[in-house]
Amino acid sequence: MGKRTKKVGITGKYGTRYGSTLRKLLRKIEVSQHSTYRCAFCGKDSVKRTCAGIWSCKSCRKTVAGGAYTLSTASAITVRSTVARLRKLQAEQV
C-alpha cells in the first residue's frame, strides 16, 4: 500500500476543512500527543497519553500527571529548574 498523504500527515482526516494554518497547528499537537516519551523512572520510551494530562508507562506501570498534549510543559520545566536552584541556594546557606 502506497503512502496516502505527502504533506498533511495525521491531519489528512480533516480533508480540505478548517484551513491550512489550523490544520498545521493541529498536526503539531496531534503528533506530540500520540508519540511515546521516555519514562523518568525506568528510562524506556514507553510513556503514552491515557487521557488529557494523564501519562502512563507501559513497562513500569507508573502514572504521571503532565501536560494535555506533551508529557512536560514549558512552564513545568521552568518551575522545576527554579525549585532546584532555590534548594541549592538554601543548602549552601545552611
Side-chain angles (χ1 to χ4, degrees):
M1 189 173 200
K3 189 174 178 183
R4 289 190 299 266
T5 60
K6 191 172 186 176
K7 297 179 184 176
V8 294
I10 197 168
T11 54
K13 61 187 175 185
Y14 300 115
T16 58
R17 297 181 296 272
Y18 313 116
S20 63
T21 307
L22 287 176
R23 287 196 313 269
K24 285 175 190 171
L25 289 171
L26 192 63
R27 178 183 180 190
K28 189 173 87 170
I29 291 170
E30 286 193 8
V31 166
S32 67
Q33 83 178 21
H34 290 121
S35 62
T36 57
Y37 290 88
R38 177 154 292 144
C39 180
F41 301 101
C42 66
K44 294 182 181 175
D45 287 329
S46 57
V47 178
K48 288 208 50 114
R49 180 180 187 255
T50 307
C51 57
I54 308 296
W55 299 81
S56 58
C57 179
K58 291 197 184 234
S59 65
C60 66
R61 314 266 296 168
K62 295 256 187 190
T63 303
V64 181
Y69 306 117
T70 57
L71 181 59
S72 61
T73 60
S75 59
I77 294 168
T78 306
V79 168
R80 197 177 307 126
S81 65
T82 305
V83 168
R85 182 176 51 81
L86 291 174
R87 280 190 182 148
K88 185 180 176 186
L89 235 152
Q90 190 179 26
E92 289 174 359
Q93 289 178 353
V94 173

